[in-house]
C-alpha cells in the first residue's frame, strides 16, 4: 500500500493554470496570422470534404411526401388562379410632362428665391370645376394641395407611382378580393411617360360601378399627386380593335375656332369669341348661339374661306393619328359645328372619309354672306353629331362598341357617351367633368396608346405606305 504522504495533492495553482484560463476565457487573444487567404480556404474545403453527410434512416416515399399547400398570408388567398373569363380593366397612365399640375418645385429642389419675388396666385386645376376663376367659386377655401410626388421621384411614371396606383385601387371602399396585375411601358422602357396597367377583377359593381370608378376621388387625388392622367377602360377585344373614329374640328383637329377667325375680318371678334366660349362650356343653347354668331357675319365676302386656309393650324399629332388609323383600316369622319368648306378642306389634308358641318348662306349676286344658315341643311349640334355617328357606323356595319369619338366642347358630349370610346381632348372644364375619359396631352397621337398600341407600333403604322 502506497504511502499516503507520498501522494501529491492538487493545489490551487494547478487548478488555475494559465492553459485552463486561456482555453476558457470569453475573449481569446488574437491568433497570429501566418497563412494567406488561399491556404485558409483550402483547409476549410478539406475539412468539409472529410465530414460525411448525415444519413437519413428513413428513406423518402415520393408517393406520400407532397407539399402541404399552406400559404401564410394575412389575407384569405386561394391557391388557384382567377377563373377564366374574369373581367379585367386597363388603366393607361399618362405623365403630364408639358402641363404640370404643380407649378412649384418641391422646396428641396427649388431654386433659391430672389429678394422681391412674389408668390404666384392660387390656381384651379384644369377640369376640376366649371370655372377656373377663383373669384367665381363660392365655396370654402380648397383643401391643401397633395404633395407633388413627381418632383421627388422623377418626371415620369415611376415604379413607386405604379405601386401607389395599385395601393389606391386596393384602398377603395369595397370588399377585399384577390387582384392580379400586369403592366407595359408603351413609349419607352426607361423613365416611361405612358404605362398601361391591367388589373382583375375590377371592384364589385354592387359597391362601386365602373362609371363611378372612373371618377372616384381617390383616382383624382392620385392623378394630382403624381401629375398624371388615368384613362380606365374595360378590357374587351373591341378596346383594341375599333373601326370608326369621328372627330370634332375646331380646337380638336385644328387649333382655331373658325367662326372667331371669320369675325376678325369684320372687327367683331370679341363679341363672337365670348358667345363661342359660353356655347362650348354649355352655358348657351348651341343652335341659338350659332345663329346669333352667324348673324354677326353678314356682309363678309364668300371667299373668306379660301383666305382662312392659310391661317388654320392643324393640331399637333393629328396627321400621325389619322395616318395610323387609316393604316389599320378605320373609317374617319369630321363632324363639326363649324362650316362645310373648311371641313372638306381639312378632310383632304388628313385623308378623312366623311366631312359634315354647317352651311352658310351666300347671296348669289353679291357673293357675300347673308348672316343666315342654309335652311335645307340641319344644324350640326350635339344631337345631330350623335345621330351622324350612329348613321355612319350603321352605313359601314360597325357596332358602336367599335367606334371612337374625340371632341372638346359641350356639343360633343352626346357623341362621346354614345361611342365605344369617347375622349374629351384638351376640353372645356365642364366637358372634362362629364366626359367618359379625358386627355390633356401635347399630341393627338397619344390617343393611339388607348388602343393598346406602343411606340413601335405607331412608328410602323405612320411609316406604312
Amino acid at each position: 500500500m502506497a504511502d499516503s504522504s507520498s501522494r501529491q495533492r492538487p493545489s490551487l495553482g494547478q487548478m488555475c493554470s494559465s492553459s485552463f484560463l486561456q482555453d476558457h476565457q470569453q475573449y481569446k487573444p488574437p491568433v497570429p496570422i501566418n497563412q494567406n487567404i488561399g491556404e485558409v480556404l483550402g483547409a476549410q474545403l478539406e475539412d468539409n470534404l472529410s465530414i460525411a453527410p448525415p444519413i437519413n434512416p428513413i428513406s423518402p416515399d415520393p408517393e406520400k411526401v407532397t407539399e402541404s399547400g399552406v400559404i401564410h398570408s394575412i389575407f384569405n388567398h386561394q391557391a388557384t388562379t382567377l377563373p377564366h373569363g374574369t373581367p379585367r380593366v386597363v388603366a393607361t397612365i399618362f405623365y403630364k410632362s408639358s402641363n404640370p399640375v404643380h407649378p412649384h418645385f418641391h422646396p428641396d429642389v427649388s431654386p433659391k428665391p430672389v429678394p422681391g419675388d412674389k408668390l404666384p396666385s392660387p390656381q384651379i386645376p384644369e377640369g376640376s370645376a366649371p370655372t377656373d376663376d377663383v373669384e367665381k367659386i363660392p365655396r370654402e377655401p380648397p383643401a391643401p394641395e397633395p404633395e407633388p410626388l413627381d418632383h421627388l421621384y422623377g418626371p415620369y411614371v415611376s415604379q413607386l407611382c405604379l405601386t401607389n396606383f395599385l395601393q389606391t385601387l386596393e384602398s377603395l371602399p369595397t370588399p377585399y378580393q384577390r387582384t392580379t396585375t400586369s403592366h407595359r411601358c408603351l413609349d419607352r422602357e426607361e423613365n416611361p411617360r405612358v404605362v398601361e396597367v391591367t388589373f382583375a377583377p375590377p371592384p364589385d359593381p354592387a359597391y362601386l360601378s365602373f362609371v363611378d370608378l372612373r371618377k372616384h376621388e381617390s383616382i383624382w387625388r392620385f392623378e394630382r399627386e403624381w401629375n398624371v392622367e388615368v384613362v380606365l377602360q374595360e378590357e374587351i377585344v373591341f378596346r383594341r380593335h375599333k373601326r370608326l373614329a369621328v372627330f370634332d374640328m375646331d380646337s380638336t383637329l385644328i387649333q382655331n375656332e373658325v367662326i372667331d377667325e371669320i369675325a376678325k375680318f369684320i372687327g367683331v371678334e370679341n363679341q363672337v369669341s365670348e358667345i363661342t366660349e359660353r356655347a362650348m362650356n354649355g352655358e348657351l343653347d348651341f343652335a341659338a348661339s350659332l345663329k346669333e354668331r352667324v348673324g354677326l357675319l353678314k356682309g363678309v365676302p364668300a371667299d373668306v374661306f379660301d383666305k382662312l386656309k392659310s391661317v388654320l393650324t392643324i393640331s399637333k399629332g393629328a396627321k400621325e393619328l389619322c395616318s395610323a388609323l387609316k393604316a389599320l383600316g378605320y373609317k374617319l369622319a369630321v363632324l363639326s359645328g363649324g362650316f362645310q368648306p373648311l371641313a372638306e378642306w381639312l378632310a383632304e389634308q388628313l385623308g378623312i372619309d366623311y366631312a359634315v358641318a354647317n352651311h352658310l348662306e351666300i347671296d348669289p349676286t353679291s357673293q357675300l354672306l347673308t348672316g343666315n344658315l342654309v335652311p335645307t341643311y340641319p344644324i350640326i349640334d350635339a344631337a345631330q353629331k350623335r345621330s351622324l355617328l350612329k348613321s355612319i357606323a350603321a352605313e359601314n356595319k360597325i357596332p358602336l362598341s367599335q367606334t371612337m369619338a374625340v371632341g372638346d366642347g359641350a356639343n360633343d358630349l352626346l357623341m362621346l357617351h354614345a361611342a365605344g370610346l369617347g375622349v374629351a381632348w384638351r376640353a372645356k372644364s365642364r366637358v372634362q367633368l362629364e366626359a367618359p375619359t379625358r386627355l390633356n396631352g401635347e399630341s393627338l397621337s397619344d390617343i393611339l396608346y388607348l388602343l393598346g398600341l406602343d411606340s413601335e407600333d405607331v412608328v410602323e403604322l405612320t411609316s406604312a405606305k
Side-chain angles (χ1 to χ4, degrees):
M1 187 172 180
D3 185 3
S4 60
S5 62
S6 64
R7 288 184 300 184
Q8 188 176 3
R9 300 179 64 181
S11 64
L12 183 61
Q14 290 176 329
M15 294 181 63
C16 297
S17 66
S18 61
S19 62
F20 179 88
L21 292 175
Q22 184 175 345
D23 291 340
H24 294 83
Q25 62 183 345
Q26 183 177 3
Y27 300 105
K28 298 180 181 180
V31 179
I33 299 175
N34 53 14
Q35 289 179 307
N36 59 36
I37 186 65
E39 293 173 343
V40 173
L41 294 178
Q44 289 181 351
L45 180 60
E46 291 178 0
D47 292 342
N48 292 337
L49 292 176
S50 64
I51 301 175
I55 300 175
N56 187 353
I58 303 176
S59 59
D61 187 347
E63 295 181 355
K64 294 183 179 179
V65 178
T66 59
E67 292 184 2
S68 67
V70 176
I71 299 175
H72 297 281
S73 172
I74 61 174
F75 300 113
N76 185 24
H77 286 296
Q78 298 178 0
T80 58
T81 59
L82 292 174
H84 179 70
T86 300
R88 292 181 295 166
V89 172
V90 172
T92 311
I93 303 176
F94 294 82
Y95 180 75
K96 298 171 65 175
S97 55
S98 63
N99 185 25
V101 175
H102 303 283
H104 316 304
F105 288 101
H106 188 270
D108 293 342
V109 296
S110 61
K112 293 183 178 179
V114 178
D117 281 356
K118 295 182 179 180
L119 291 175
S121 58
Q123 297 179 350
I124 302 300
E126 187 175 8
S128 65
T131 176
D132 57 7
D133 187 348
V134 177
E135 301 300 327
K136 294 182 180 179
I137 301 182
R139 59 179 185 179
E140 296 180 358
E145 283 291 305
E147 181 74 14
L149 298 177
D150 58 308
H151 292 316
L152 294 176
Y153 298 102
Y156 49 86
V157 182
S158 63
Q159 290 191 2
L160 194 60
C161 174
L162 289 179
T163 301
N164 190 211
F165 177 69
L166 298 178
Q167 291 173 335
T168 300
L169 293 177
E170 289 187 348
S171 68
L172 296 175
T174 59
Y176 176 80
Q177 52 190 351
R178 184 185 180 196
T179 302
T180 62
T181 64
S182 62
H183 78 274
R184 291 193 303 148
C185 301
L186 297 186
D187 60 334
R188 54 182 178 266
E189 291 297 327
E190 294 294 328
N191 301 339
R193 185 180 64 87
V194 187
V195 175
E196 179 184 277
V197 180
T198 304
F199 61 93
D204 188 338
Y207 294 87
L208 182 64
S209 70
F210 182 69
V211 173
D212 291 337
L213 174 63
R214 276 177 158 174
K215 300 180 182 298
H216 199 280
E217 61 182 6
S218 296
I219 302 291
W220 184 86
R221 183 174 180 84
F222 165 78
E223 292 178 318
R224 297 278 294 142
E225 285 180 338
W226 291 98
N227 190 22
V228 297
E229 286 186 306
V230 179
V231 177
L232 296 176
Q233 300 180 76
E234 294 175 319
E235 175 62 318
I236 59 175
V237 66
F238 292 149
R239 177 185 81 89
R240 303 181 302 278
H241 301 285
K242 290 184 166 47
R243 297 163 55 198
L244 170 65
V246 300
F247 301 93
D248 177 42
M249 182 172 71
D250 295 8
S251 298
T252 303
L253 288 179
I254 62 175
Q255 296 180 6
N256 319 68
E257 287 286 345
V258 170
I259 196 166
D260 294 348
E261 298 294 340
I262 299 176
K264 290 180 182 179
F265 283 88
I266 56 175
V268 293
E269 179 186 4
N270 292 337
Q271 295 171 261
V272 171
S273 296
E274 182 182 357
I275 300 173
T276 301
E277 183 177 0
R278 294 181 65 193
M280 292 300 101
N281 278 321
E283 300 174 23
L284 301 174
D285 175 73
F286 180 82
S289 67
L290 177 64
K291 292 178 180 178
E292 182 180 355
R293 286 175 290 164
V294 168
L296 296 173
L297 305 181
K298 183 178 180 180
V300 175
D303 63 355
V304 66
F305 297 112
D306 294 326
K307 297 178 180 178
L308 281 177
K309 292 175 184 178
S310 62
V311 177
L312 301 183
T313 302
I314 296 177
S315 298
K316 182 180 179 180
K319 291 182 179 179
E320 291 80 0
L321 173 60
C322 292
S323 175
L325 295 179
K326 290 296 291 183
L328 289 171
Y330 275 60
K331 291 291 184 181
L332 304 181
V334 53
L335 310 179
S336 173
F339 305 113
Q340 188 67 26
L342 294 177
E344 292 177 354
W345 169 81
L346 184 62
E348 292 177 3
Q349 301 296 309
L350 300 178
I352 293 175
D353 303 289
Y354 299 88
V356 185
N358 295 302
H359 292 254
L360 288 174
E361 189 178 61
I362 301 173
D363 187 304
T365 305
S366 63
Q367 289 296 301
L368 300 176
L369 300 181
T370 65
N372 298 313
L373 296 167
V374 178
T376 54
Y377 289 93
I379 294 176
I380 310 302
D381 57 7
Q384 187 64 18
K385 284 189 176 187
R386 179 177 58 184
S387 177
L388 287 167
L389 165 67
K390 293 180 178 180
S391 63
I392 294 173
E395 178 184 336
N396 293 277
K397 298 181 180 179
I398 299 173
L400 288 177
S401 56
Q402 285 187 273
T403 65
M404 175 173 65
V406 183
D408 76 302
N411 62 324
D412 298 315
L413 278 171
L414 292 182
M415 77 170 182
L416 296 184
H417 283 284
L421 171 63
V423 181
W425 175 255
R426 301 180 66 90
K428 310 301 182 289
S429 297
R430 177 197 161 188
V431 181
Q432 294 205 36
L433 289 170
E434 297 185 14
T437 62
R438 73 194 190 287
L439 273 181
N440 293 280
E442 289 184 272
S443 173
L444 273 168
S445 60
D446 278 355
I447 293 173
L448 293 171
Y449 293 124
L450 300 180
L451 306 176
L453 302 173
D454 60 24
S455 57
E456 293 182 0
D457 297 329
V458 174
V459 170
E460 185 176 353
L461 289 171
T462 52
S463 60
K465 301 297 183 182

